Amino acid sequence: MNTLNQFKNFTANLPKNGESDIMPALFMGHGSPMNGIEVNEFSAGWANMAKSVPLPTAVLVVSAHWFTRGTKITAMDFPATIHDFGGFPQALFEVQYPAPGNPALAKETASLITATAVELNHDWGLDHGAWTVIRHMYPNADIPVLQLSIDYTKGAQYHYNLAKEIAALRKKGVLILGSGNMVHNLRMVSWEMINGGGYDWAMEANDKFKTAILNKDHQALINFEQMGSEVRLAIPTPEHYLPLMYTLGLQSDKEQALLFNDKAVGGSLTMTSVKVA
């Protein structure tokens, strides 16, 4: 290709009218770790979503499975693949997702956050809330992946506000992805419904969440404890719900929410996922 054609191709991809391209923000219902190695409707939904968004410069994951005192971000060159589960087939433990990290981006992200001091962490890696989803989205493991922890001492409003502090990363091609489950009560799982179906309370809670998301009623979702008894059953502990606060906190007034992978499994889990763009 000659130099003139290269220049034409480059300029054709520049943002128009002085506006910067902004990466979507995602919330993924990740469900069972087995979704990491199975080709099913959920993993296909993740893969299709990756094809529908611009190729990111990096992925920043807020996973339900890195629940810490204080806020931390992975800052190593090559984060380890963490198998933070038990009782699953050996094939799942053998999976490695060797995506690189990005220490410079970790430092930049930490510098954007003023609500708290952010620790640059070299001991964690990519837990199953991250790699089981991302390996279907970017199977070549050639895009840097970082994780931002969830401070368990803080409430939903804090996490929603913290997300706004890192919104500038979206203009730099960073895909910010929350990974959890809106309805997540493992103590009440029904094996009879493991392939699909939810208790009435789980479906009612999920419908409340979806309605509020589509109506941009973020305050109701922040104050989820006040949404009724079915929501209290759906969120017995908050770690799988709080990643949603990051996705919603990133939503601008002009952006809409799209729901996908909207299905209940095991009676007391929902895989409902959200794209904000």
Side-chain angles (χ1 to χ4, degrees), residues 23-26 53 56-61 137-138 169 173-177:
M23 286 295 292
L26 301 174
V53 304
T57 57
V59 182
L60 178 61
V61 182
M137 298 177 70
Y138 306 110
L169 296 176
V174 179
L175 178 62
I176 303 175
L177 187 157

Side-chain angles (χ1 to χ4, degrees), residues 105-123:
L105 179 60
K107 291 179 181 178
E108 179 180 359
T109 303
S111 72
L112 291 173
I113 296 173
T114 61
T116 187
V118 180
E119 175 189 319
L120 299 178
N121 179 273
H122 297 85
D123 301 321

Side-chain angles (χ1 to χ4, degrees), residues 236-277:
T237 56
E239 71 279 357
H240 277 77
Y241 181 80
L242 289 175
L244 175 65
M245 294 297 99
Y246 285 80
T247 306
L248 298 180
L250 292 165
Q251 185 176 15
S252 72
D253 292 339
K254 296 180 180 179
E255 290 181 312
Q256 303 301 316
L258 170 72
L259 304 176
F260 62 102
N261 279 1
D262 185 18
K263 183 176 179 179
V265 295
S268 59
L269 297 152
T270 57
M271 298 295 291
T272 308
S273 301
V274 184
K275 174 185 177 182
V276 165

Side-chain angles (χ1 to χ4, degrees), residues 20-277:
S20 298
D21 289 335
I22 299 179
M23 286 295 292
L26 301 174
F27 171 79
M28 300 299 207
H30 67 242
S32 167
M34 288 301 293
N35 291 321
I37 59 173
E38 293 178 350
V39 177
N40 56 35
E41 60 187 298
F42 306 123
S43 61
W46 301 333
N48 289 334
M49 181 53 65
K51 295 174 183 176
S52 78
V53 304
L55 190 68
T57 57
V59 182
L60 178 61
V61 182
V62 181
S63 166
H65 296 281
W66 199 19
F67 214 42
T68 61
R69 176 178 288 275
T71 301
K72 305 179 182 185
I73 190 167
T74 55
M76 65 285 287
D77 289 316
F78 293 97
T81 303
I82 301 173
H83 302 90
D84 51 331
F85 42 72
F88 290 93
Q90 183 60 31
L92 191 60
F93 291 90
E94 293 173 355
V95 172
Q96 294 294 315
Y97 187 72
N102 188 327
L105 179 60
K107 291 179 181 178
E108 179 180 359
T109 303
S111 72
L112 291 173
I113 296 173
T114 61
T116 187
V118 180
E119 175 189 319
L120 299 178
N121 179 273
H122 297 85
D123 301 321
W124 190 244
L126 304 181
D127 60 48
H128 81 267
W131 66 260
T132 60
V133 174
I134 298 173
R135 73 185 301 261
H136 290 290
M137 298 177 70
Y138 306 110
N140 293 331
D142 54 358
I143 296 173
V145 182
L146 297 80
Q147 280 198 225
L148 183 70
S149 76
I150 300 173
D151 185 347
Y152 64 75
T153 71
K154 306 296 185 182
Q157 183 74 63
Y158 174 88
H159 295 290
Y160 180 86
N161 293 343
L162 192 149
K164 295 184 179 300
E165 297 199 64
I166 59 173
L169 296 176
R170 297 176 64 194
K171 295 181 180 180
K172 298 188 175 186
V174 179
L175 178 62
I176 303 175
L177 187 157
S179 179
N181 293 94
M182 293 189 203
V183 175
H184 185 271
N185 190 329
L186 291 184
R187 292 186 178 183
M188 299 185 72
V189 164
S190 164
W191 294 105
E192 289 76 18
M193 289 189 278
I194 200 63
N195 293 318
Y199 295 116
D200 288 346
W201 60 262
M203 303 304 291
E204 290 169 9
N206 209 51
D207 284 344
K208 284 189 174 184
F209 297 148
K210 291 189 294 182
T211 297
I213 289 167
L214 294 175
N215 289 337
K216 296 186 180 180
D217 189 358
H218 293 178
Q219 204 58 50
L221 293 159
I222 290 167
N223 299 323
F224 63 90
E225 299 97 335
Q226 301 173 22
M227 293 180 76
S229 58
E230 62 272 27
V231 169
R232 289 191 289 274
L233 280 173
I235 311 174
T237 56
E239 71 279 357
H240 277 77
Y241 181 80
L242 289 175
L244 175 65
M245 294 297 99
Y246 285 80
T247 306
L248 298 180
L250 292 165
Q251 185 176 15
S252 72
D253 292 339
K254 296 180 180 179
E255 290 181 312
Q256 303 301 316
L258 170 72
L259 304 176
F260 62 102
N261 279 1
D262 185 18
K263 183 176 179 179
V265 295
S268 59
L269 297 152
T270 57
M271 298 295 291
T272 308
S273 301
V274 184
K275 174 185 177 182
V276 165

